[in-house]
Amino acid sequence: MRIEQLEYIRAVTRLGSLRRAADHLHLSQPALSETVRNLERELGVDLLERRRSGATISDKGRELLPYINGVLEAVDRLRGAADEQHHMARMVRLGTVNAATVPLLIPAVRAFREAHPATQVEVVGAQQAEIHRRIREGSFDLGLVNYLSGDDLPPDLATTELLRGRPVVCVRPDSPLASLPAIEVADLLREPLIVMRAGYVMHRLVHRLLGGRAPSFSYSTDGAEMGKLMVAEGLGATVLPEFSVAGDPLLRNGAITYRPLAQRVAEVLLVIQSQRSASGPRVARDLHRLLVDRARECRTGARARAAG
């Protein structure tokens, strides 16, 4: 039994005659009739009623039609699922809190592009809660999110640590804070401060660092990348994990610099997360591996800078 045999029976039923079905299917009427006869012999049932005026579906054929339609609908669902899987294999969707987009993500995406030139990478900036939700529902393959050391990790997501680092104060080189070897909280409170919006780990860290005290003036933004640009434009200082600033083009170009905090605070972790219960598309696993490899290079570079 072949799928096209069942499709031919459905066409005869829908169009009302063997002749019209043959025209619709771009087959000769004898070829269509012979294909149906082969199916009839296999099933032991006359599916068509043949008269001088033409052939139409028989009563027994109508009784079997729900089963024929059920098989064809299942095949249609299979084909649709395969098409969707093929489409998904042509795109990897990654959510990120933008904590280390330039030093980590861009080199990994560049290497991925070289290995998979036909696969698109969709990078979406979002807060941690949205990234978790979309990983669980399957609309993100991967997520880059931050935690503070000691935070609980979601048990239903697979988590791989990429980077960890101390929070630092990112400032312009001509800022008064840049002349200090380490920055006290009192120094930070005297300057305009760029903070991440509520929902980001760095918002929670800065709130804990300031102990409820308010800076002289503050801005609120989404993600480290915008925060660094605002610093470069002279709007104030911001607190970011060191791995988010080290290696950034703005740092290399002299538009920003950074200083350590004098107060000891929790380290910031950058992790990559995905569904635990599914292996995901191969291309997503390849991007995951490249991010892990790039993070290893970043850690090696950080150790070299510290030793130097």
Side-chain angles (χ1 to χ4, degrees):
M1 184 183 302
R2 304 192 306 275
I3 297 300
E4 63 265 24
Q5 291 173 312
L6 303 181
E7 291 173 337
Y8 294 170
I9 294 297
R10 182 167 65 178
V12 172
T13 304
R14 181 168 59 86
L15 296 171
S17 77
L18 190 68
R19 179 183 56 79
R20 284 195 289 270
D23 290 343
H24 175 76
L25 295 167
H26 304 291
L27 296 171
S28 69
Q29 189 169 329
L32 178 56
S33 181
E34 180 60 26
T35 301
V36 172
R37 283 190 184 279
N38 290 336
L39 179 60
E40 289 175 322
R41 283 193 288 269
E42 183 176 348
L43 295 176
V45 174
D46 289 334
L47 299 171
L48 298 183
E49 188 174 308
R50 294 167 175 85
R51 299 193 180 102
R52 287 179 180 272
S53 58
T56 57
I57 192 76
S58 68
D59 291 341
K60 290 182 179 179
R62 290 187 187 280
E63 290 178 7
L64 294 178
L65 195 58
Y67 302 100
I68 292 173
N69 286 334
V71 171
L72 293 175
E73 288 169 3
V75 170
D76 288 342
R77 289 195 297 272
L78 174 62
R79 287 169 174 163
D83 287 344
E84 178 65 18
Q85 190 176 69
H86 176 75
H87 172 73
M88 290 298 290
R90 294 296 178 183
M91 177 175 291
V92 180
R93 296 176 173 88
L94 181 142
T96 174
V97 294
N98 286 329
T101 301
V102 174
L104 175 74
L105 181 57
I106 288 179
V109 169
R110 184 182 295 115
F112 180 86
R113 171 75 173 135
E114 293 174 357
H116 300 279
T119 302
Q120 299 179 35
V121 179
E122 184 177 79
V123 179
V124 181
Q127 293 187 347
Q128 185 186 78
E130 182 185 356
I131 292 173
H132 284 167
R133 176 182 63 79
R134 295 186 64 175
I135 290 175
R136 291 183 176 109
E137 71 183 19
S139 58
F140 279 167
D141 299 295
L142 303 169
L144 291 172
V145 300
N146 283 337
Y147 290 94
L148 298 181
S149 57
D151 283 350
D152 293 329
L153 302 178
D156 61 324
L157 297 181
T159 301
T160 302
E161 182 179 322
L162 297 177
L163 300 170
R164 66 166 58 209
R166 58 181 181 169
V168 297
V169 181
C170 177
V171 296
R172 272 172 59 105
D174 57 0
S175 166
L177 297 180
S179 64
L180 302 174
I183 297 176
E184 303 278 354
V185 173
D187 301 320
L188 205 56
L189 289 169
R190 287 192 288 268
E191 295 293 322
L193 192 59
I194 301 160
V195 297
M196 302 300 113
R197 287 196 305 113
Y200 290 96
V201 162
M202 295 310 298
H203 176 92
R204 178 157 55 96
L205 183 142
V206 170
H207 182 76
R208 183 187 300 178
L209 176 68
L210 300 185
R213 290 166 290 180
S216 64
F217 188 82
S218 65
Y219 302 89
S220 182
T221 188
D222 278 297
E225 302 310 318
M226 180 57 68
K228 286 180 283 190
L229 287 171
M230 293 173 73
V231 169
E233 290 299 315
L235 295 179
T238 191
V239 179
L240 296 171
E242 185 175 14
F243 57 72
S244 182
V245 186
D248 190 281
L250 291 172
L251 180 73
R252 295 198 303 267
N253 295 338
I256 61 174
T257 187
Y258 65 94
R259 297 292 180 268
L261 283 163
Q263 181 176 332
R264 186 176 181 82
V265 292
E267 284 189 308
V268 182
L269 282 62
L270 179 69
V271 306
I272 185 168
Q273 294 180 318
S274 59
Q275 288 189 11
R276 184 179 292 279
S277 58
S279 58
R282 182 179 64 84
V283 287
R285 298 197 299 273
D286 287 350
L287 180 56
H288 184 290
R289 175 182 54 80
L290 288 168
L291 286 164
V292 171
D293 291 346
R294 175 58 188 169
R296 186 181 302 114
E297 294 174 8
C298 289
R299 293 195 300 271
T300 301
R303 287 193 293 268
R305 288 191 297 272

